[in-house]
């Protein structure tokens, strides 16, 4: 894996015994992910425990486990401890079936990896009068042959409390049921096991935001899951095993209700463009073809109360088949650059930037409503770091950003030029705002994509096109001007400090003001707009007081308040189709106000 990923080799830091630090940690962990191989050499993984103290070191690199388990439906417990005559399991010293484990405390974000083999184990009923019991006590002794502590990255905090389960088999067939799919959609963690052939095994944790496990396919022809491999310690122990023996055991617990999904899969490691094509914004991902699955209701012996998510979690990365790929990969391999040739700062937090394209043929011509993807890694990338507590989100930031093109293809620019109008805040926006155009900044242009297009005018289609914009959400509409200006009815919500953008827009497209209604929030009350006049110095510091009268001179009605439901619902009959470009909160409100209309919008919630 180091060769494939072009990273320096590392010695294996695992210790060939149970280290003192691991021995100190184990009595304090409330959970243990445990794995083994079945007769076909397929890995399976389970999650057991519920409170600290159920795992203890016994000396000479042996550990003892004593906890409640599901003896019938848990695939690992049935493989390790199932004896038809009820006798104890005593494995010979040359036992070839390996086991692996991960002791983990999610509340303190502590974990330790363990590899070895079970040398003894037994199941004991909780009720001596009943032999067939849904819950039994398991006792196991495991000889530890390797141990390794792991970092706290991506561990979402959970407070674990024990409970008595009542396991019920829901499904053990494929494709996955709707309930199992809902579990995957909610999951912010899972445990994965791998092996090197039928020899040593490894078990570890994978975490992220809720929904970081994506379902690529789930039908009669197969069930395929995909998840991103985030930046880690670069040991690649799990991926190394999967590259040699592409089989994985996965357990996905629902810590809210105790449901659990056990799966075994064949795997494929995706690197570079292969990863980004399937799971945009990923350089490394794993595709798992599920070979077997068991979904158990109320099968866990514990529950988990959610705490703080890991600060290292990146946003959910959606499959390219789920929504437009945010990196807009170019269809060819030719390298294209966008050179900054002009910048205009329209307000204290909004700027317009013009770029020229080095190879217009390779980049392709953009259409109104599309966006460009620019890669800032060469300019802002900080290189590899294992941990970066001062800026944890930067570790998985590929520094690819998408920007709606705000210039019209017919707007007077050269064919190899385009403009973006963006916030000059954040890492990328502030970087661009500081640039000296004379420096000749060149940014790799990864591609052009998007389909947020207002239906063009033709002989039969002259229907009004109502467009609701929030702040810089005006940019897709600007790309459609001036061609559609006669059909547009614009409802534009702005903050007071952004009124300069409206002024600039009306100066460039005066006719648009006649069909625009502005809603400007954050304007201090002034005579005629509120109850009390404000001090003259306050008006001087308030852009709205200086700009709003000029906006009204263009003919646009201006309301110095937030947009209300009545503002939109009173205009519902303008058209059967409405267009929206706004932030998530405003978009949700608009969708509810226009619930009986066709509403088109571009989803930029990557």
């Amino acid at each position: 894996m180091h060769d494939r990923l072009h990273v320096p080799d590392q010695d294996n830091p695992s210790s060939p015994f149970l280290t003192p630090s691991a021995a100190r940690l184990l009595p304090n962990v409330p959970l243990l992910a445990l794995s083994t191989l079945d007769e076909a050499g397929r890995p399976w993984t389970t999650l057991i425990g519920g409170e600290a103290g159920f795992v203890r070191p016994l000396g000479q690199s042996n550990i003892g486990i004593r906890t409640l388990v599901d003896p019938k439906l848990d695939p690992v417990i049935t493989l390790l401890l199932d004896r038809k005559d009820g006798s104890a399991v005593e494995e010979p010293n040359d036992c070839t079936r390996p086991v692996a484990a991960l002791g983990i405390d999610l509340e303190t974000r502590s974990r330790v990896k363990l590899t070895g083999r079970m040398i003894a184990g037994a199941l004991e009923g909780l009720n001596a009068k009943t032999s067939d019991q849904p819950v039994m006590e398991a006792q196991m002794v495991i000889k530890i042959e390797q141990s390794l502590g792991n970092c706290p990255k991506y561990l979402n905090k959970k407070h674990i409390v024990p409970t008595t389960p009542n396991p019920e088999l829901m499904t053990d067939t494929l494709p996955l049921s709707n309930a199992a799919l809902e579990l995957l959609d909610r999951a912010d963690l899972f445990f994965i096991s791998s092996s090197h052939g039928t020899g040593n095994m490894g078990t570890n944790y994978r975490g992220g935001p809720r929904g970081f496990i994506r379902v690529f396919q789930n039908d009669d022809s197969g069930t395929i899951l995909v998840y991103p491999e985030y930046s880690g310690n670069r040991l690649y122990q799990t991926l190394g095993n999967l590259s040699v023996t592409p089989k994985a055991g996965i357990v996905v617990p629902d810590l809210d209700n105790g449901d659990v999904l056990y799966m075994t899969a064949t795997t494929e490691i995706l690197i570079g463009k292969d990863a980004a094509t399937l799971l945009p914004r990923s350089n490394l991902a794993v595709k798992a073809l599920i070979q077997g699955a068991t979904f158990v209701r109320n099968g866990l012996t514990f529950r988990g109360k959610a705490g703080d998510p890991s600060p290292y979690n990146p946003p959910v990365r959606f499959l390219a088949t789920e929504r437009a790929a945010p990196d807009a990969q170019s269809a060819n391999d030719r390298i294209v650059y966008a050179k900054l040739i002009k910048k205009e700062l329209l307000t204290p937090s909004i700027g317009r930037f013009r770029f020229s394209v080095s190879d217009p043929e390779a980049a392709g011509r953009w259409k109104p409503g599309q966006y460009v993807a620019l890669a800032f890694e060469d300019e802002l990338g900080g290189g590899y770091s294992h941990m970066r507590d001062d800026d944890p989100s930067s570790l998985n930031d590929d520094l690819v950003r998408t920007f709606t093109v705000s210039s019209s293809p017919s707007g007077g620019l050269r064919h190899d030029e385009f403009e973006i109008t963006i916030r000059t805040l954040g890492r990328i926006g502030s970087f661009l705002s500081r640039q000296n155009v004379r420096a000749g900044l060149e940014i790799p242009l990864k591609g052009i994509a998007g389909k947020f297009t207002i239906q063009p005018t033709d002989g039969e289609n002259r229907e009004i096109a109502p467009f609701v914009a929030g702040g810089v959400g005006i940019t897709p509409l600007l790309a459609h001007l001036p061609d559609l200006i006669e059909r547009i009815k614009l409802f534009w919500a702005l903050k007071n400090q952004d009124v300069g953008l409206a002024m600039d827009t009306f100066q460039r497209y005066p006719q648009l003001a006649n069909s625009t209604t502005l809603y400007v929030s954050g304007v201090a009350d002034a005579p005629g707009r509120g109850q009390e006049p404000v001090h003259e110095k306050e008006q001087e510091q308030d852009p709205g007081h200086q700009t709003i009268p000029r906006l009204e001179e263009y003919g646009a009605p201006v309301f110095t308040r937030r947009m209300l439901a009545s503002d939109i619902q009173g205009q519902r009959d303008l058209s059967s189709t409405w267009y929206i470009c706004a932030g998530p909160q405003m978009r949700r409100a608009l969708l509810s106000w226009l619930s009986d209309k066709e509403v088109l919008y571009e989803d930029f919630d990557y």
Side-chain angles (χ1 to χ4, degrees):
M1 282 303 303
H2 290 102
D3 290 341
R4 293 179 65 185
L5 292 169
H6 307 291
V7 300
D9 289 336
Q10 296 186 51
D11 293 332
N12 184 357
S14 301
S15 299
F17 52 84
L18 183 66
T19 63
S21 60
R24 288 193 298 270
L25 176 62
L26 285 175
N28 298 303
V29 301
L31 298 176
L32 187 79
L34 182 66
S35 64
T36 192
L37 302 177
D38 64 15
E39 290 75 8
R42 303 182 305 175
W44 290 90
T45 311
T46 188
L47 189 62
I48 58 176
E51 58 185 336
F54 80 100
V55 184
R56 292 190 175 277
L58 302 178
Q60 297 183 340
S61 286
N62 293 327
I63 64 171
I65 302 170
R66 184 171 185 172
T67 187
L68 297 181
V69 297
D70 171 3
K72 301 296 183 183
L73 302 176
D74 185 323
V76 175
I77 297 302
T78 57
L79 286 167
L80 293 178
L81 297 177
D82 186 27
R83 288 295 183 270
K84 303 304 181 184
D85 59 3
S87 61
V89 178
E90 295 184 1
E91 300 286 7
N93 290 334
D94 63 350
C95 173
T96 58
R97 175 181 287 172
V99 296
L102 181 78
I104 188 166
D105 183 349
L106 291 169
E107 194 157 22
T108 63
R109 294 190 170 124
S110 304
R111 55 177 162 166
V112 60
K113 292 177 62 179
L114 306 167
T115 298
R117 53 189 173 84
M118 191 181 77
I119 57 178
L123 286 171
E124 183 176 341
L126 302 181
N127 185 342
K129 296 181 180 180
T130 305
S131 58
D132 186 16
Q133 299 178 41
V135 181
M136 301 181 74
E137 183 180 81
Q139 298 185 48
M140 289 174 276
V141 178
I142 295 177
K143 178 71 173 179
I144 302 302
E145 297 172 342
Q146 292 185 51
S147 64
L148 175 66
N150 265 192
C151 70
K153 275 199 304 187
Y154 314 119
L155 270 66
N156 300 310
K157 283 190 173 184
K158 313 282 183 183
H159 174 66
I160 303 299
V161 294
T163 189
T164 301
N166 184 24
E168 177 187 358
L169 177 64
M170 302 306 293
T171 59
D172 58 2
T173 59
L174 295 172
L176 296 175
S177 66
N178 288 335
L181 294 176
E182 290 172 2
L183 188 161
L184 290 171
D185 188 56
R186 295 190 303 271
D188 64 356
L189 61 86
F190 68 92
F191 297 86
I192 183 169
S193 298
S194 57
S195 69
H196 191 101
T198 56
N200 289 340
M201 293 191 69
T203 297
N204 215 332
Y205 165 99
R206 293 293 184 267
R210 285 181 178 264
F212 78 109
I213 309 169
R214 308 310 301 168
V215 179
F216 178 73
Q217 179 180 322
N218 186 53
D219 53 34
D220 291 338
S221 61
T223 296
I224 298 175
L225 308 182
V226 180
Y227 72 89
E229 281 283 344
Y230 300 139
S231 174
N233 57 19
R234 289 189 166 183
L235 294 179
Y236 301 124
Q237 291 180 323
T238 298
L239 294 183
N241 281 344
L242 295 180
S243 66
V244 175
T245 308
K247 299 178 181 180
I250 296 170
V251 61
V252 186
D254 189 328
L255 300 183
D256 294 329
N257 60 26
D259 296 348
V260 57
L261 178 61
Y262 306 101
M263 296 179 287
T264 188
T266 56
T267 60
E268 179 184 358
I269 300 171
L270 306 174
I271 298 174
K273 191 170 184 179
D274 290 338
T277 299
L278 184 63
L279 195 66
R281 309 200 81 152
S282 298
N283 185 57
L284 189 59
V286 173
K287 183 164 68 171
L289 174 61
I290 307 304
Q291 302 293 331
T294 301
F295 180 49
V296 180
R297 174 73 50 80
N298 193 16
L300 298 177
T301 58
F302 48 85
R303 298 292 185 270
K305 182 178 180 181
D308 295 333
S310 171
Y312 285 89
N313 288 346
V316 173
R317 298 173 182 174
F318 295 93
L319 295 166
T321 54
E322 293 179 287
R323 54 177 64 183
D327 62 355
Q329 293 281 0
S330 176
N332 58 63
D333 295 327
R334 290 155 64 177
I335 299 176
V336 181
Y337 290 93
K339 181 179 179 180
L340 180 64
I341 59 174
K342 184 178 181 180
K343 75 172 183 179
E344 299 173 85
L345 300 182
L346 306 178
T347 78
S349 63
I350 298 176
R352 181 165 56 235
F353 302 88
R354 185 179 300 177
F355 294 86
S356 63
V357 179
S358 64
D359 189 341
E361 181 182 355
R365 187 63 170 160
W366 55 91
K367 300 176 182 178
Q370 290 193 304
Y371 56 80
V372 293
L374 302 176
F376 292 84
E377 173 66 29
D378 293 343
E379 301 295 330
L380 297 176
Y384 170 75
S385 294
H386 178 209
M387 304 289 288
R388 197 176 292 165
D389 290 339
D390 60 329
D391 188 14
S393 63
S394 66
L395 285 191
N396 289 287
D397 188 349
D398 61 1
L399 294 171
V400 173
R401 297 293 188 271
T402 60
F403 304 101
T404 301
V405 177
S406 59
S407 55
S408 169
S410 60
L413 298 184
R414 289 166 49 99
H415 77 285
D416 61 346
E417 295 178 354
F418 68 87
E419 290 180 337
I420 59 175
T421 304
I422 66 171
R423 294 277 179 194
T424 54
L425 306 174
R427 195 173 181 185
I428 304 300
S430 60
F431 169 76
L432 286 175
S433 69
R434 297 192 304 268
Q435 295 304 302
N436 186 332
V437 174
R438 296 178 181 178
L441 173 69
E442 291 188 321
I443 302 296
L445 173 61
K446 299 199 71 176
I448 301 169
K451 300 178 181 179
F452 187 42
T453 303
I454 299 174
Q455 294 300 315
T457 301
D458 55 32
E460 299 179 357
N461 181 21
R462 294 189 176 276
E463 186 179 39
I464 293 294
F467 193 104
V468 186
V472 293
I474 189 70
T475 52
L477 176 60
L478 297 180
H480 287 81
L481 302 178
D483 297 345
L484 301 181
I485 200 166
E486 294 180 355
R487 291 179 50 216
I488 298 299
K489 175 61 178 174
L490 174 62
F491 304 87
W492 192 0
L494 287 162
K495 292 183 178 179
N496 185 23
Q497 60 266 33
D498 295 337
V499 291
L501 176 59
M503 194 68 201
D504 174 82
T505 300
F506 290 163
Q507 288 172 346
R508 302 177 82 192
Y509 305 102
Q511 189 178 349
L512 182 64
N514 297 324
S515 56
T516 297
T517 303
L518 288 169
Y519 303 87
V520 183
S521 60
V523 180
D525 288 340
R529 297 184 184 275
Q531 299 299 320
E532 299 292 335
V534 298
H535 193 277
E536 183 177 349
K537 289 186 177 180
E538 294 180 24
Q539 292 191 30
E540 292 176 357
Q541 298 172 357
D542 189 340
H545 279 285
Q546 302 175 40
T547 308
I548 287 175
R550 297 170 61 193
L551 291 172
E552 292 174 324
E553 290 177 3
Y554 277 95
V558 180
F559 294 89
T560 53
R561 58 169 173 80
R562 293 180 179 273
M563 183 183 294
L564 304 176
S566 57
D567 297 323
I568 301 301
Q569 292 175 332
Q571 302 288 332
R572 299 162 63 87
D573 295 335
L574 280 175
S575 176
S576 59
T577 303
W578 285 63
Y579 300 87
I580 292 175
C581 188
Q585 184 176 356
M586 183 177 178
R587 185 177 68 233
R588 286 192 294 269
L590 289 164
L591 290 173
S592 67
W593 300 344
L594 298 167
S595 57
D596 61 340
K597 300 293 183 179
E598 180 185 16
V599 179
L600 304 180
Y601 62 90
E602 184 72 273
D603 188 351
F604 291 103
D605 303 341
Y606 309 122

